[in-house]
Amino acid sequence: MADNGDEEYRIQQGDYVVLKRGDIFKAVQIVPKKKIIFEKQWFFLDNAVGNLYSTTFEISSGGILQPQKLKETGNPSDLKEAGTDNRNIVDDGKSQKLTRDDIETLKEQGLKGQEIIQQLIENSSTFRDKTEYAQDKYIKKKKKKYENTVTILKPSCRILAMMYHGREPGKICHLRYDTLAQMLTLANIHAHSKVLVFETCAGLVLGSIMERMGGYGSVIQMYPGGGPVRAGVESFGFPAHFHDTLHEFPICHVNALLAGELDTTAKDPTAEEKLNLAADEEQIQPEAEQQGSPEEQNMETNAAQDQEKIEKEKRREAKAQERKVKLEEKRKKLAAAAALLEGRNADGLVIASRFHPCPVLMTLLKFLAPSRPFVVYSQYKETLIECYTKLKEQGGTVNLRLSDTWLRHYQVLPNRTHPVLLMSGGGGYLLSGTTVAMDQSKPAASQRSEEPAPKRQKVKDTEG
């Protein structure tokens, strides 16, 4: 049992991992002999297998990873002299004696990043005149440039959210990781619950919900278009049983399901048309090939022609059968998701998409049980203000709250703790609330009209 627990924290073949250098992240899969390019460097991840997650590796010649030794993580100049101020230092580009060619020669000789940094310090005429803070800043800058190291991390919703927000924020609707954490909390995501998700954030929100639920319960993804997008879910590297809890349902069939008109046993006409078109194209292609080469047909015998036709017919039938199996699987998934939604007893709703959330929210709220939370994310507050107004008019919700998130990073160092100058301008807006059961016999408008009018204050006459 101890070995199995230890394996969970060790890098295995086929695992999805996150590479880290500084503030840069990249999600990759451990594949034997696959060249990985990260931050203008290439290497192989074969040697990382068997090591613990969060291990820092040094990239040696030939792209081979070697675990970095603890003694090499120290400061390259522990015993250094420091000046009192930098007022007499002139940045004229002549303080460094080593040229670019000299540095390339050191690299060819096999010197590592720490050793090159030490050479740069020794050949700098102004390093000892700098203040201690300026020296640390200089070393940090050179480490970033010359140290060939990479850290391998285990994927999590926080790390993947930071990766997407740093590299491609538009793919996740500029959703920041602190906003994502608030969404999971406000929606009360936990194991053994039934959660509805509508998102266009490359699967990041969906994967975060699945991670929080731990493989227990059910997640129903409502998707627009022809199929769900789950690129971010793959990067989490979930076990197989996690995917058993994931269901999908097209948003275009929601109104039919609410009206009781959805027939999950009927065949999808659009899918059948595609199947017939593909079969027709396959029939046309061999005919065109036969017309294009009449001389070769004359040379072949009738037996060879018959054999070729039989083989093509078998291949066509096999492909048609494969398509039918896929259509049947899709139909079964649709029926399973519809069965979960028909009870209208979902435990939570999370919306984070590039589409206008108001019509989606009003429709999907009907699938929630009373006293259940919901949360909507949008990059713009105007769309959420419209949702807030509609919910107030319609009724059936309480504790409505529209909020924005603000995050600021701080540099924490001795005698120089201060906010980081560059920060995110905004983390989007959140609309959250809780559903309640309504009296269906009376509409919300009539309930408001029957409220008693406020009593007027009587004015006492005073006699002089």
Side-chain angles (χ1 to χ4, degrees):
M1 294 296 292
D3 293 338
N4 294 336
D6 189 41
E7 285 180 4
E8 183 183 351
Y9 303 102
R10 291 190 180 274
I11 303 167
Q12 303 293 330
Q13 202 74 255
D15 284 0
Y16 284 89
V17 299
V18 177
L19 308 178
K20 178 179 182 292
R21 178 184 289 175
D23 297 329
I24 309 299
F25 299 87
K26 183 178 181 179
V28 297
Q29 187 181 14
I30 304 288
V31 179
K33 298 180 181 179
K34 182 182 178 182
K35 182 186 285 187
I36 304 295
I37 299 174
F38 179 53
E39 288 295 287
K40 299 180 181 179
Q41 283 191 320
W42 63 270
F43 49 87
F44 300 96
L45 296 173
D46 299 52
N47 279 15
V49 175
N51 288 281
L52 292 170
Y53 279 104
S54 301
T55 302
T56 301
F57 296 89
E58 194 169 275
I59 305 170
S60 57
S61 59
I64 299 172
L65 296 183
Q66 299 292 341
Q68 192 178 38
K69 298 178 182 178
L70 292 176
K71 64 178 182 181
E72 294 181 357
T73 59
N75 201 321
S77 79
D78 294 327
L79 301 173
K80 57 179 182 285
E81 299 176 4
T84 55
D85 57 59
N86 300 327
R87 71 179 71 181
N88 297 323
I89 297 175
V90 180
D91 188 12
D92 55 1
K94 299 178 182 178
S95 59
Q96 183 55 249
K97 298 175 185 177
L98 291 178
T99 62
R100 186 183 296 273
D101 295 336
D102 295 335
I103 296 171
E104 291 297 328
T105 304
L106 293 174
K107 288 182 180 179
E108 291 174 0
Q109 291 175 359
L111 267 69
K112 297 180 180 179
Q114 296 281 6
E115 296 168 343
I116 293 174
I117 294 170
Q118 188 64 41
Q119 290 290 330
L120 290 171
I121 291 172
E122 291 175 358
N123 287 277
S124 175
S125 58
T126 58
F127 182 82
R128 290 177 178 79
D129 298 331
K130 295 180 179 180
T131 61
E132 185 180 350
Y133 304 145
Q135 288 178 355
D136 290 339
K137 193 174 181 180
Y138 176 87
I139 292 169
K140 185 179 179 181
K141 182 180 176 182
K142 296 303 178 185
K143 275 184 177 180
K144 189 176 180 181
K145 186 174 182 180
Y146 294 107
E147 273 197 344
N148 300 331
T149 58
V150 62
T151 304
I152 299 181
L153 304 174
K154 192 175 182 65
S156 67
C157 63
R158 180 183 64 85
I159 291 172
L160 291 175
M162 291 171 67
M163 180 191 76
Y164 273 110
H165 193 267
R167 296 175 71 93
E168 298 169 312
K171 279 191 175 182
I172 58 170
C173 304
H174 295 265
L175 176 64
R176 212 168 50 201
Y177 62 90
D178 60 308
T179 310
L180 177 60
Q182 290 188 52
M183 290 174 64
L184 297 176
T185 303
L186 292 171
N188 192 26
I189 305 299
H190 61 276
H192 301 287
S193 60
K194 184 193 294 184
V195 183
L196 303 183
V197 185
F198 180 77
E199 61 113 302
T200 56
C201 299
L204 176 65
V205 176
L206 178 63
S208 302
I209 291 171
M210 291 174 66
E211 182 189 65
R212 180 68 66 91
M213 293 177 66
Y216 300 97
S218 56
V219 184
I220 307 168
Q221 182 186 9
M222 319 295 288
Y223 64 88
V229 179
R230 297 172 180 169
V233 177
E234 294 179 0
S235 299
F236 280 87
F238 291 130
H241 71 276
F242 273 64
H243 295 278
D244 296 338
T245 65
L246 180 58
H247 306 271
E248 58 193 50
F249 192 85
I251 196 74
C252 59
H253 291 164
V254 167
N255 290 331
L257 181 63
L258 289 170
E261 300 172 355
L262 181 65
D263 187 5
T264 56
T265 60
K267 296 181 178 179
D268 190 352
T270 58
E272 290 293 330
E273 287 176 7
K274 291 179 182 177
L275 190 148
N276 295 331
L277 284 172
D280 292 340
E281 288 177 1
E282 288 180 358
Q283 290 177 357
I284 291 168
Q285 285 178 358
E287 290 176 5
E289 291 174 1
Q290 291 174 4
Q291 293 173 3
S293 56
E295 295 179 0
E296 293 180 4
Q297 288 181 19
N298 294 331
M299 294 173 63
E300 292 175 352
T301 60
N302 293 333
Q305 288 179 352
D306 294 340
Q307 185 66 25
E308 189 177 351
K309 287 180 180 179
I310 292 169
E311 289 178 0
K312 286 181 179 178
E313 190 66 30
K314 285 181 179 179
R315 286 198 296 267
R316 195 180 302 119
E317 289 177 359
K319 288 183 179 179
Q321 186 65 26
E322 191 177 330
R323 291 193 192 95
K324 287 180 180 178
V325 170
K326 287 182 179 179
L327 288 175
E328 187 62 30
E329 288 179 359
K330 190 174 181 181
R331 202 175 295 119
K332 286 181 180 178
K333 288 181 179 179
L334 181 67
L340 289 171
L341 291 170
E342 281 174 351
R344 301 194 185 187
N345 57 354
D347 297 316
L349 171 64
V350 179
I351 299 175
S353 76
R354 63 178 183 272
F355 302 110
H356 199 297
C358 194
V360 179
L361 175 63
M362 294 301 171
T363 304
L364 296 184
L365 274 178
K366 299 173 184 177
F367 293 103
L368 259 65
S371 189
R372 296 297 187 273
F374 63 90
V375 59
V376 186
Y377 165 81
S378 179
Q379 194 180 346
Y380 312 102
K381 64 181 177 183
E382 288 79 12
T383 57
L384 295 184
I385 289 173
E386 184 177 339
C387 293
Y388 183 93
T389 307
K390 284 276 182 71
L391 290 172
K392 282 289 187 182
E393 292 174 355
Q394 178 179 293
T397 56
V398 294
N399 197 24
L400 289 179
R401 182 183 176 196
L402 180 59
S403 60
D404 64 339
T405 57
W406 194 79
L407 176 72
R408 191 169 206 178
H409 291 276
Y410 276 77
Q411 172 185 287
V412 181
L413 291 171
N415 299 324
R416 50 209 153 126
T417 297
H418 59 78
V420 177
L421 298 178
L422 297 177
M423 60 172 284
S424 174
Y429 301 87
L430 293 176
L431 173 65
S432 59
T434 306
T435 59
V436 292
M438 290 182 63
D439 186 1
Q440 300 296 332
S441 61
K442 297 179 181 180
S446 64
Q447 287 178 1
R448 286 198 303 269
S449 62
E450 290 179 5
E451 290 180 1
K455 294 181 180 180
R456 293 183 180 179
Q457 187 176 2
K458 294 181 180 180
V459 179
K460 294 181 181 180
D461 295 333
T462 56
E463 296 180 358

